[in-house]
């Protein structure tokens, strides 16, 4: 067997550069590059390897390790999980900064490869700078914190261990059911140790991503259930988009008349103006989708993991005897809601169902009812887009302006705060990849970093990052990276002076918005209103901050100025930040839905007690789906 003498890090970089993925006959690289922040734990290992052969794997510098994992995840999502970026860090804080990014990737079922440095395998210089010492165990390091948030985790203690570890990592990263963050912890000494690696390890290796069909008997059973139903509803999750099943779904809907409701990850499965498109479902759902869900007798979940936002904390599907058929590549998800599991690829499964349902369609009355609800919802969106609220605009108007002034193929990116819910309800999605809201982990700080990954994955599209002031303050530094890489982002910074979403939640539960507004401390104050404290705003200028990071900044005081800025920003070549203040108290209502958030059973406040009683009334609507 031919071998080549390389350090473990050099071998790893060569291996990563040689990995390919193929689906439907289209073959391409799996790793398009490697993000990294160097420290003593990787600069002379993985860093040396990347520097020695820079053409193998493009190196991207980031500002923060969490952010670079978000960027890699955003990239992978945009590429329908068929490509990603690796992330190399030093040991210690650089490594643990990735924990949040890893959790977000794993929860959203997105492939990212994390390569944290680790303490010396030899243990000779222990405790090395940044090493966690655990008196009761010798083989613990901070990288163990990545175990629960990784779908595969290994520590490469000897150079030859890289061979099985690298192959195992690729299996998980390309397995559509198992996918998530993969961590290979790399002790800093082992990274630099040489070994005679088999040359075959570095040959191009193609990982086939298949389209497995669900079991034929289960498909027959599912088709029987659908034929027997009067009011079926498809709940489209992220799996529809990742499997590129949106056209198959559109054909299915056209033929059968079964309407479609979308989860956050599934938004974009069916263009907003197609017959049968009921839009968002659940807590942040449309009136159309939530009405149809409440009366559905059969729910066909496709590629959804049924989060509480989708099921409205188990209150959305209210009809007695409602049944579920779940088409999902992961048996774990297919088995939820007591449903009939169809374990397989979304597109292949949908086509197989479609074949079995030839000649069948829902009744005309149901089709009409859904169409009326869809049209009614569209009018509600138009109303919210043109509220004319003042003096500060409402957030729905800001969303409307961005939606109207962006092109169909452009991408809107968001993650946390009050905007994901409003975007889920209101955004008119025209392209399957046009809507990118991270709402599995709802990570404050994902927005700009994730948006950067989206832009890297498809530079032909404009990327509109919608970020709240809170998220901006948590993680905006990748603006610098976007400028360095000449990857333009259009960032709409919606400034409502604090955590408006949680403030609203707090007020609705009797706790007056405690701790959610940016104001100087006022002793003894409970609420977030000026009336409670001294009410003085902080001398913070986020637009100036963005300017300082190198962005071209537009300050929009109202909707007209926002529209002008959006138009002007199209002519700018590098990253733009449009700062727009909004009215934190003017929010989009909820449409016949409920989210379970616990309320204190005893308190000294009448408001909290009332909220608790309300909570108990609503909680009584929760269903078991068995
Ligand atoms: C990292 C992180 N910390 C805390 C939360 C809880 N949380 C959700 S939304 C939110 C406030 C977000 O503020 P902002 O970005 O200004 O958006 P707004 O609520 O004002 O729309 C908080 C604290 C979170 N989702 N992520
Ligand atoms: Mg805010």
């Amino acid at each position: 067997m031919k071998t080549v003498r390389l350090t473990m890090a050099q071998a790893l970089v060569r291996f990563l550069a040689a990995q390919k993925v193929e689906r439907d006959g289209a073959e391409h690289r799996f790793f398009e590059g490697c993000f990294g922040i160097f420290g003593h734990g990787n600069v002379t290992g993985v860093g040396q390897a990347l520097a020695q052969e820079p053409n193998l794997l493009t190196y991207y510098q980031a500002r923060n390790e969490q952010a670079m994992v978000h960027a890699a995840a955003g990239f992978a999502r945009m590429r329908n999980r068929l490509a990603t970026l690796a992330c190399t860090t030093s040991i210690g804080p650089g490594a643990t900064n990735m924990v949040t990014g890893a959790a977000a990737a794993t929860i959203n079922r997105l492939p990212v490869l994390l390569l944290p440095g680790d303490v010396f395998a030899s243990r000779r210089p222990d405790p090395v700078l940044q090493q966690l010492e655990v008196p009761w165990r010798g083989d613990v390091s901070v990288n163990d914190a990545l175990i629960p948030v990784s779908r595969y985790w290994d520590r490469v203690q000897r150079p030859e261990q890289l061979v099985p570890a690298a192959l195992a990592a690729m299996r998980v990263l390309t397995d559509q059911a198992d996918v998530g963050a993969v961590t290979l912890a790399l002790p800093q000494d082992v990274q630099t140790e040489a070994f005679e690696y088999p040359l075959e390890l570095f040959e191009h290796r193609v990982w086939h991503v298949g389209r497995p069909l669900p079991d034929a008997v289960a498909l027959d059973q599912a088709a029987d259930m659908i034929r027997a139903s009067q009011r079926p509803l498809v709940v489209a999750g992220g799996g529809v988009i990742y499997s590129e099943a949106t056209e198959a779904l559109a054909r299915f809907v056209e033929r059968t008349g079964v309407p479609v409701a979308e989860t956050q990850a599934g938004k974009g499965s069916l263009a907003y103006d197609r017959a049968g498109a009921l839009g968002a479902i659940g807590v942040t759902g449309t009136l159309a989708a939530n009405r149809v869900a409440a009366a559905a007798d059969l729910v066909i979940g496709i590629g959804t993991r049924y989060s509480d936002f989708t099921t409205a904390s188990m209150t959305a599907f209210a009809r007695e005897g409602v049944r579920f058929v779940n088409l999902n590549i992961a048996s774990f998800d297919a088995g939820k809601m007591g449903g009939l599991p169809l374990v397989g690829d979304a597109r292949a499964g949908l086509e197989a169902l479609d074949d079995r349902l030839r000649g069948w369609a829902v009744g005309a009355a149901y089709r009409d009812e859904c169409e009326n609800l869809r049209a009614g919802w569209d009018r509600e969106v138009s109303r919210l887009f043109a509220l004319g609220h003042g003096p500060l605009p409402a957030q729905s108007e800001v969303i409307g302006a961005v939606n109207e002034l962006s092109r169909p193929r452009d991408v809107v990116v968001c993650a946390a705060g009050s905007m994901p819910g409003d975007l889920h309800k209101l955004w008119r999605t025209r392209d399957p990849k046009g809507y990118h809201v991270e709402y599995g982990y709802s990570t404050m700080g994902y927005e700009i970093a994730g948006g950067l990954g989206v832009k890297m994955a498809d530079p032909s599209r404009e990327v509109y990052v919608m970020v709240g002031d809170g998220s901006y303050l948590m993680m905006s530094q990748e603006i610098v990276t976007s400028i360095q890489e000449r990857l333009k982002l259009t960032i709409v910074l919606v400034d409502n002076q604090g955590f408006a979403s949680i403030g609203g939640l707090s007020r609705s539960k009797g706790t007056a918005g405690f701790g959610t507004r940016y104001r100087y401390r006022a002793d003894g104050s409970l609420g977030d209103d000026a009336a409670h404290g001294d009410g003085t705003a902080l001398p913070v200028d986020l637009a100036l901050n963005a300017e300082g990071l190198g962005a071209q900044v537009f300050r929009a005081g109202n909707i007209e100025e926002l529209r002008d800025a959006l138009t002007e920003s199209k002519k700018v070549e590098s990253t733009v930040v449009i700062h727009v203040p909004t009215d934190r108290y003017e929010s989009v209502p909820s449409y016949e839905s409920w989210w379970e958030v616990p309320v204190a059973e005893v308190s000294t406040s009448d408001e909290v007690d009332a909220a608790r009683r309300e909570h108990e009334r609503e909680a009584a609507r929760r269903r078991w789906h068995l």
Side-chain angles (χ1 to χ4, degrees):
M1 178 179 274
K2 289 211 171 107
T3 60
V4 54
R5 191 167 157 80
L6 297 171
T7 68
M8 183 263 265
Q10 291 160 1
L12 174 63
V13 168
R14 276 206 195 178
F15 174 84
L16 297 181
Q19 303 311 301
K20 299 203 161 189
V21 154
E22 173 273 325
R23 183 166 75 183
D24 302 329
E27 192 182 295
H28 46 76
R29 284 182 76 140
F30 188 64
F31 294 101
E32 285 208 6
C34 182
F35 267 114
I37 293 180
F38 297 117
H40 62 91
N42 63 338
V43 67
T44 53
V46 176
Q48 189 278 335
L50 288 167
Q52 179 166 299
E53 291 186 283
N55 296 330
L56 278 183
L57 206 55
T58 307
Y59 164 69
Y60 297 102
Q61 187 181 59
R63 312 304 125 180
N64 174 294
E65 293 86 356
Q66 179 187 329
M68 71 193 193
V69 183
H70 291 330
F75 182 97
R77 176 168 168 179
M78 196 62 195
R79 292 288 186 86
N80 291 329
R81 314 197 286 204
L82 299 177
T84 190
L85 300 156
C87 298
T88 167
T89 75
S90 190
I91 73 166
T96 49
N97 268 355
M98 294 202 290
V99 173
T100 298
T106 293
I107 284 168
N108 286 287
R109 317 273 159 87
L110 295 169
V112 294
L113 176 61
L114 312 184
L115 305 171
D118 212 328
V119 297
F120 280 72
S122 75
R123 314 238 177 99
R124 292 194 61 163
D126 283 9
V128 65
L129 176 67
Q130 301 175 329
Q131 178 168 348
L132 173 74
E133 290 182 278
V134 179
W136 47 270
R137 197 167 156 174
D139 67 348
V140 168
S141 88
V142 294
N143 286 335
D144 290 271
L146 285 158
I147 293 174
V149 290
S150 298
R151 295 306 301 262
Y152 184 78
W153 186 99
D154 202 354
R155 179 179 283 130
V156 183
Q157 297 277 25
R158 297 168 58 90
E160 66 262 51
Q161 266 181 25
L162 178 69
V163 178
L167 292 170
M170 280 308 297
R171 176 186 61 76
V172 174
L173 289 167
T174 57
D175 181 321
Q176 302 301 292
D178 251 7
V179 66
V182 167
T183 300
L184 296 182
L186 309 175
Q188 58 184 103
D189 50 350
V190 185
Q191 286 180 44
T192 63
E193 285 170 18
F195 182 74
E196 290 286 342
Y197 285 96
L199 262 180
E200 204 180 340
L201 182 64
F202 311 116
E203 284 170 14
H204 280 169
R205 190 177 300 260
V206 182
W207 299 80
H208 171 65
V209 175
R211 294 193 176 278
L213 266 176
D215 176 71
V217 174
L219 278 168
D220 289 343
Q221 238 179 309
D224 288 346
M225 287 169 74
I226 296 171
R227 282 177 186 279
S229 69
Q230 308 291 314
R231 303 181 63 90
L233 169 68
V234 165
V235 173
V240 172
I241 294 174
Y242 300 143
S243 131
E244 296 173 75
T246 55
E247 282 168 31
L249 179 66
R251 283 194 297 275
F252 175 82
V253 171
E254 211 171 280
R255 264 205 280 277
T256 63
V258 178
V260 174
E262 296 171 327
T263 71
Q264 279 278 12
K267 191 167 161 80
S269 293
L270 192 64
Y272 83 98
D273 52 358
R274 297 283 295 247
L278 302 174
I281 189 170
V283 179
T284 52
T286 69
L287 186 64
N290 286 345
R291 283 264 168 95
V292 173
D297 57 358
L298 181 71
V299 177
I300 307 161
I302 308 179
T304 174
R305 54 190 199 98
Y306 287 110
S307 82
D308 65 344
F309 265 73
T310 298
T311 68
S313 304
M314 294 294 176
T315 64
F317 309 107
R319 192 186 182 103
E320 199 50 43
V322 59
R323 288 280 171 247
F324 294 78
V325 167
N326 300 321
L327 171 56
N328 205 299
I329 193 73
S331 64
F332 176 72
D333 292 314
K336 289 176 178 174
M337 310 295 275
L340 171 70
L342 299 180
V343 181
D345 172 63
R347 191 169 96 187
L350 244 175
E351 286 169 351
L353 272 180
D354 208 9
D355 279 348
R356 283 168 168 76
L357 290 167
R358 283 296 147 97
W360 176 85
V362 299
Y366 184 49
R367 226 188 246 254
D368 289 349
E369 181 187 331
C370 291
E371 182 50 24
N372 286 337
L373 282 164
R374 191 198 65 76
W377 177 255
D378 207 43
R379 286 192 296 277
E380 174 69 351
V381 173
S382 297
R383 182 185 76 79
L384 289 159
F385 278 2
L387 274 185
H389 186 77
L392 291 178
Q395 184 162 285
S396 67
E397 300 173 272
V398 171
I399 290 171
V402 178
N403 200 178
E404 282 163 21
L405 289 166
S406 57
R407 292 166 307 184
R409 282 187 79 256
D410 294 344
V411 190
V412 67
V413 180
C414 192
S418 55
M419 272 190 290
D422 292 359
L423 287 165
H424 193 210
K425 288 174 203 161
L426 305 180
W427 191 263
R428 288 171 166 152
T429 312
R430 301 155 284 183
D431 179 278
K433 301 308 297 182
Y435 183 88
H436 184 120
V437 175
E438 189 282 287
Y439 214 62
Y441 206 43
S442 188
T443 321
M444 287 172 76
Y446 177 87
E447 298 86 348
I448 294 172
L452 177 67
V454 170
K455 185 72 179 175
M456 291 170 86
D458 190 348
S460 75
R461 304 184 194 231
E462 293 290 332
V463 175
Y464 289 89
V465 174
M466 306 214 49
V467 61
D469 49 81
S471 277
Y472 181 89
L473 281 169
M474 224 177 251
M475 197 169 277
S476 49
Q477 71 292 327
E478 299 315 311
I479 286 176
V480 177
T481 309
S482 79
I483 289 164
Q484 181 171 3
E485 295 296 336
R486 299 184 202 285
L487 290 164
K488 179 191 176 185
L489 300 175
T490 304
I491 299 167
V492 181
L493 169 49
V494 177
D495 192 347
N496 54 25
Q497 295 278 305
F499 306 153
S501 51
I502 308 299
L505 179 62
S506 162
R507 282 193 301 280
S508 75
K509 304 294 181 193
T511 46
F514 179 71
T516 59
R517 194 178 188 199
Y518 308 149
R519 284 294 184 266
Y520 282 109
R521 169 177 297 283
D523 289 340
S525 114
L526 170 67
D528 75 341
D529 287 319
H532 289 97
D534 83 350
T536 315
L538 305 182
V540 175
D541 185 338
L542 298 182
L544 194 59
N545 176 275
E547 229 156 52
L549 294 179
Q552 173 149 348
V553 171
F554 294 85
R555 292 165 195 261
N558 54 46
I559 293 297
E560 288 69 47
E561 287 174 16
L562 172 64
R563 296 183 78 94
D564 289 346
L566 285 163
T567 306
E568 280 303 302
S569 69
K570 293 182 187 187
K571 301 174 198 151
V572 181
E573 272 180 18
S574 72
T575 291
V576 163
V577 172
I578 303 173
H579 179 265
V580 55
T582 56
D583 183 343
R584 66 189 270 109
Y585 299 109
E586 184 60 28
S587 52
V588 178
S590 156
Y591 295 88
E592 302 186 355
S593 197
W594 179 68
W595 185 33
E596 180 168 2
V597 177
V599 180
E601 208 166 350
V602 291
S603 82
T604 55
S605 148
D606 289 346
E607 287 81 16
V608 173
D609 291 350
R612 173 71 196 190
R613 286 192 296 275
E614 160 90 8
H615 172 79
E616 285 168 9
R617 271 196 306 278
E618 291 288 336
R621 298 199 290 120
R622 285 174 309 191
R623 293 273 317 261
W624 294 106
H625 295 292
L626 303 171

